[in-house]
Short mmCIF file of all heavy atoms in Angstrom, two decimals:
data_model
loop_
_atom_site.label_atom_id
_atom_site.label_comp_id
_atom_site.label_asym_id
_atom_site.label_seq_id
_atom_site.Cartn_x
_atom_site.Cartn_y
_atom_site.Cartn_z
N PRO A 1468 -13.81 -0.56 5.31
CA PRO A 1468 -14.75 0.00 4.31
C PRO A 1468 -15.99 0.61 4.97
O PRO A 1468 -16.58 1.54 4.42
CB PRO A 1468 -15.13 -1.21 3.45
CG PRO A 1468 -14.23 -2.32 3.85
CD PRO A 1468 -13.59 -2.00 5.16
N GLY A 1469 -16.36 0.13 6.15
CA GLY A 1469 -17.55 0.64 6.83
C GLY A 1469 -17.38 2.04 7.38
O GLY A 1469 -18.34 2.66 7.84
N ALA A 1470 -16.15 2.57 7.34
CA ALA A 1470 -15.91 3.91 7.89
C ALA A 1470 -16.18 5.01 6.86
O ALA A 1470 -16.26 6.19 7.21
CB ALA A 1470 -14.46 4.02 8.38
N ARG A 1471 -16.34 4.62 5.61
CA ARG A 1471 -16.44 5.63 4.54
C ARG A 1471 -17.72 6.47 4.65
O ARG A 1471 -18.78 5.93 4.94
CB ARG A 1471 -16.35 4.94 3.20
CG ARG A 1471 -14.97 4.33 3.08
CD ARG A 1471 -14.72 3.61 1.81
NE ARG A 1471 -13.30 3.21 1.83
CZ ARG A 1471 -12.69 2.60 0.84
NH1 ARG A 1471 -13.35 2.31 -0.26
NH2 ARG A 1471 -11.42 2.30 0.94
N GLY A 1472 -17.54 7.75 4.42
CA GLY A 1472 -18.69 8.66 4.51
C GLY A 1472 -19.13 8.91 5.94
O GLY A 1472 -20.25 9.36 6.19
N GLN A 1473 -18.25 8.61 6.91
CA GLN A 1473 -18.62 8.71 8.32
C GLN A 1473 -17.66 9.62 9.09
O GLN A 1473 -16.52 9.84 8.67
CB GLN A 1473 -18.52 7.33 8.98
CG GLN A 1473 -19.31 6.26 8.33
CD GLN A 1473 -20.71 6.17 8.88
OE1 GLN A 1473 -20.99 6.65 9.98
NE2 GLN A 1473 -21.60 5.60 8.10
N ILE A 1474 -18.16 10.10 10.24
CA ILE A 1474 -17.35 10.91 11.16
C ILE A 1474 -17.16 10.13 12.46
O ILE A 1474 -18.12 9.53 12.96
CB ILE A 1474 -18.05 12.25 11.46
CG1 ILE A 1474 -18.30 13.04 10.16
CG2 ILE A 1474 -17.25 13.08 12.46
CD1 ILE A 1474 -19.06 14.35 10.35
N PHE A 1475 -15.92 10.14 12.99
CA PHE A 1475 -15.64 9.40 14.23
C PHE A 1475 -14.89 10.28 15.22
O PHE A 1475 -13.92 10.96 14.86
CB PHE A 1475 -14.74 8.18 13.94
CG PHE A 1475 -15.38 7.18 13.05
CD1 PHE A 1475 -15.25 7.27 11.67
CD2 PHE A 1475 -16.15 6.14 13.57
CE1 PHE A 1475 -15.86 6.36 10.82
CE2 PHE A 1475 -16.76 5.22 12.74
CZ PHE A 1475 -16.62 5.33 11.36
N ASN A 1476 -15.30 10.22 16.49
CA ASN A 1476 -14.49 10.77 17.57
C ASN A 1476 -13.38 9.78 17.89
O ASN A 1476 -13.63 8.57 17.92
CB ASN A 1476 -15.32 10.90 18.86
CG ASN A 1476 -16.37 11.98 18.77
OD1 ASN A 1476 -16.27 12.89 17.97
ND2 ASN A 1476 -17.38 11.87 19.62
N VAL A 1477 -12.18 10.28 18.14
CA VAL A 1477 -11.09 9.43 18.63
C VAL A 1477 -10.41 10.16 19.77
O VAL A 1477 -10.00 11.32 19.62
CB VAL A 1477 -10.08 9.09 17.51
CG1 VAL A 1477 -8.80 8.48 18.09
CG2 VAL A 1477 -10.69 8.13 16.50
N GLY A 1478 -10.31 9.51 20.91
CA GLY A 1478 -9.66 10.14 22.07
C GLY A 1478 -9.75 9.22 23.26
O GLY A 1478 -10.00 8.02 23.12
N SER A 1479 -9.55 9.81 24.42
CA SER A 1479 -9.63 9.06 25.67
C SER A 1479 -10.80 9.62 26.48
O SER A 1479 -11.26 10.74 26.23
CB SER A 1479 -8.32 9.25 26.43
OG SER A 1479 -8.54 9.16 27.81
N GLN A 1480 -11.28 8.83 27.43
CA GLN A 1480 -12.37 9.34 28.29
C GLN A 1480 -11.89 9.60 29.71
O GLN A 1480 -12.68 9.80 30.61
CB GLN A 1480 -13.55 8.36 28.28
CG GLN A 1480 -14.30 8.42 26.96
CD GLN A 1480 -15.48 7.48 26.91
OE1 GLN A 1480 -15.39 6.35 27.37
NE2 GLN A 1480 -16.58 7.94 26.33
N GLU A 1481 -10.56 9.57 29.88
CA GLU A 1481 -9.99 9.83 31.22
C GLU A 1481 -9.96 11.36 31.41
O GLU A 1481 -9.04 12.03 30.97
CB GLU A 1481 -8.58 9.23 31.31
CG GLU A 1481 -8.01 9.29 32.70
CD GLU A 1481 -6.56 8.79 32.77
OE1 GLU A 1481 -6.03 8.25 31.76
OE2 GLU A 1481 -5.96 8.94 33.84
N GLU A 1482 -10.97 11.87 32.11
CA GLU A 1482 -11.14 13.32 32.21
C GLU A 1482 -10.33 13.86 33.38
O GLU A 1482 -10.33 13.28 34.47
CB GLU A 1482 -12.63 13.63 32.42
CG GLU A 1482 -12.97 15.09 32.27
CD GLU A 1482 -14.48 15.35 32.43
OE1 GLU A 1482 -15.23 14.40 32.75
OE2 GLU A 1482 -14.87 16.51 32.23
N VAL A 1483 -9.65 14.97 33.14
CA VAL A 1483 -8.84 15.56 34.22
C VAL A 1483 -8.97 17.09 34.15
O VAL A 1483 -9.06 17.66 33.06
CB VAL A 1483 -7.35 15.11 34.07
CG1 VAL A 1483 -6.72 15.64 32.80
CG2 VAL A 1483 -6.52 15.53 35.27
N SER A 1484 -9.01 17.72 35.32
CA SER A 1484 -9.03 19.19 35.30
C SER A 1484 -7.60 19.67 35.04
O SER A 1484 -6.63 18.95 35.33
CB SER A 1484 -9.54 19.75 36.63
OG SER A 1484 -8.54 19.62 37.62
N ILE A 1485 -7.48 20.87 34.53
CA ILE A 1485 -6.14 21.38 34.19
C ILE A 1485 -5.34 21.63 35.47
O ILE A 1485 -4.13 21.44 35.50
CB ILE A 1485 -6.27 22.65 33.31
CG1 ILE A 1485 -6.98 22.30 31.99
CG2 ILE A 1485 -4.91 23.30 33.05
CD1 ILE A 1485 -6.33 21.20 31.16
N ARG A 1486 -6.05 21.98 36.55
CA ARG A 1486 -5.34 22.14 37.83
C ARG A 1486 -4.74 20.80 38.28
O ARG A 1486 -3.59 20.71 38.65
CB ARG A 1486 -6.32 22.66 38.90
CG ARG A 1486 -5.63 23.07 40.18
CD ARG A 1486 -6.62 23.38 41.30
NE ARG A 1486 -7.70 24.25 40.84
CZ ARG A 1486 -9.00 24.03 41.09
NH1 ARG A 1486 -9.38 22.98 41.79
NH2 ARG A 1486 -9.91 24.86 40.66
N GLU A 1487 -5.56 19.73 38.16
CA GLU A 1487 -5.05 18.41 38.57
C GLU A 1487 -3.94 17.95 37.64
O GLU A 1487 -2.97 17.31 38.08
CB GLU A 1487 -6.19 17.39 38.59
CG GLU A 1487 -5.76 16.13 39.33
CD GLU A 1487 -6.66 14.93 39.05
OE1 GLU A 1487 -7.87 15.12 38.85
OE2 GLU A 1487 -6.10 13.81 39.01
N LEU A 1488 -4.07 18.28 36.37
CA LEU A 1488 -3.01 17.93 35.42
C LEU A 1488 -1.68 18.55 35.87
O LEU A 1488 -0.64 17.88 35.90
CB LEU A 1488 -3.37 18.43 34.01
CG LEU A 1488 -2.28 18.25 32.96
CD1 LEU A 1488 -2.07 16.78 32.62
CD2 LEU A 1488 -2.60 19.05 31.69
N ALA A 1489 -1.74 19.83 36.26
CA ALA A 1489 -0.51 20.51 36.71
C ALA A 1489 0.07 19.81 37.93
O ALA A 1489 1.29 19.56 38.02
CB ALA A 1489 -0.83 21.97 37.02
N GLU A 1490 -0.81 19.44 38.87
CA GLU A 1490 -0.32 18.75 40.09
C GLU A 1490 0.32 17.41 39.74
O GLU A 1490 1.36 17.05 40.27
CB GLU A 1490 -1.49 18.56 41.06
CG GLU A 1490 -1.93 19.87 41.72
CD GLU A 1490 -3.33 19.81 42.34
OE1 GLU A 1490 -3.98 18.74 42.29
OE2 GLU A 1490 -3.78 20.85 42.87
N ARG A 1491 -0.33 16.68 38.83
CA ARG A 1491 0.20 15.36 38.45
C ARG A 1491 1.55 15.48 37.74
O ARG A 1491 2.45 14.68 37.96
CB ARG A 1491 -0.77 14.66 37.50
CG ARG A 1491 -1.88 14.00 38.23
CD ARG A 1491 -2.25 12.75 37.47
NE ARG A 1491 -3.69 12.66 37.40
CZ ARG A 1491 -4.31 11.67 36.78
NH1 ARG A 1491 -3.63 10.73 36.14
NH2 ARG A 1491 -5.62 11.62 36.78
N VAL A 1492 1.66 16.48 36.86
CA VAL A 1492 2.93 16.67 36.14
C VAL A 1492 4.05 16.94 37.15
O VAL A 1492 5.13 16.34 37.08
CB VAL A 1492 2.82 17.81 35.10
CG1 VAL A 1492 4.19 18.22 34.58
CG2 VAL A 1492 1.92 17.39 33.93
N ILE A 1493 3.78 17.82 38.12
CA ILE A 1493 4.80 18.16 39.12
C ILE A 1493 5.21 16.90 39.89
O ILE A 1493 6.40 16.63 40.10
CB ILE A 1493 4.26 19.25 40.08
CG1 ILE A 1493 4.18 20.59 39.33
CG2 ILE A 1493 5.12 19.37 41.33
CD1 ILE A 1493 3.49 21.70 40.09
N ARG A 1494 4.21 16.09 40.28
CA ARG A 1494 4.50 14.87 41.07
C ARG A 1494 5.30 13.86 40.23
O ARG A 1494 6.32 13.34 40.66
CB ARG A 1494 3.18 14.26 41.55
CG ARG A 1494 3.35 13.02 42.38
CD ARG A 1494 2.08 12.59 43.10
NE ARG A 1494 0.84 12.71 42.33
CZ ARG A 1494 0.44 11.84 41.39
NH1 ARG A 1494 1.19 10.80 41.09
NH2 ARG A 1494 -0.70 12.02 40.75
N ILE A 1495 4.85 13.61 38.99
CA ILE A 1495 5.49 12.57 38.17
C ILE A 1495 6.91 12.98 37.77
O ILE A 1495 7.83 12.16 37.77
CB ILE A 1495 4.61 12.24 36.93
CG1 ILE A 1495 3.36 11.52 37.41
CG2 ILE A 1495 5.37 11.40 35.91
CD1 ILE A 1495 2.31 11.28 36.35
N VAL A 1496 7.09 14.25 37.46
CA VAL A 1496 8.42 14.72 37.06
C VAL A 1496 9.34 14.85 38.28
O VAL A 1496 10.57 14.84 38.16
CB VAL A 1496 8.27 16.06 36.29
CG1 VAL A 1496 9.60 16.75 36.09
CG2 VAL A 1496 7.60 15.83 34.94
N GLY A 1497 8.73 14.94 39.48
CA GLY A 1497 9.53 15.12 40.70
C GLY A 1497 10.10 16.53 40.76
O GLY A 1497 11.25 16.74 41.15
N SER A 1498 9.25 17.50 40.41
CA SER A 1498 9.70 18.89 40.29
C SER A 1498 9.34 19.69 41.53
O SER A 1498 8.41 19.34 42.27
CB SER A 1498 9.02 19.51 39.07
OG SER A 1498 9.19 20.88 39.03
N SER A 1499 10.07 20.77 41.76
CA SER A 1499 9.73 21.65 42.88
C SER A 1499 8.97 22.89 42.38
O SER A 1499 8.81 23.87 43.11
CB SER A 1499 11.01 22.07 43.60
OG SER A 1499 11.88 22.66 42.66
N SER A 1500 8.51 22.84 41.11
CA SER A 1500 7.79 23.98 40.53
C SER A 1500 6.51 24.27 41.29
O SER A 1500 5.88 23.37 41.84
CB SER A 1500 7.41 23.68 39.08
OG SER A 1500 8.53 23.64 38.26
N LYS A 1501 6.11 25.54 41.26
CA LYS A 1501 4.82 25.96 41.83
C LYS A 1501 3.82 26.11 40.68
O LYS A 1501 4.20 26.08 39.51
CB LYS A 1501 4.97 27.34 42.51
CG LYS A 1501 6.00 27.37 43.63
CD LYS A 1501 5.36 26.92 44.94
CE LYS A 1501 6.35 26.77 46.07
NZ LYS A 1501 7.14 25.53 46.01
#
Side-chain angles (χ1 to χ4, degrees):
R1471 295 180 174 183
Q1473 304 271 340
I1474 301 177
F1475 297 89
N1476 290 337
V1477 167
S1479 150
Q1480 286 181 319
E1481 188 184 353
E1482 191 178 6
V1483 65
S1484 75
I1485 298 303
R1486 189 188 313 133
E1487 194 197 326
L1488 174 70
E1490 288 162 1
R1491 278 214 224 179
V1492 167
I1493 288 172
R1494 181 167 40 78
I1495 290 173
V1496 168
S1498 168
S1499 56
S1500 291
K1501 301 274 173 282

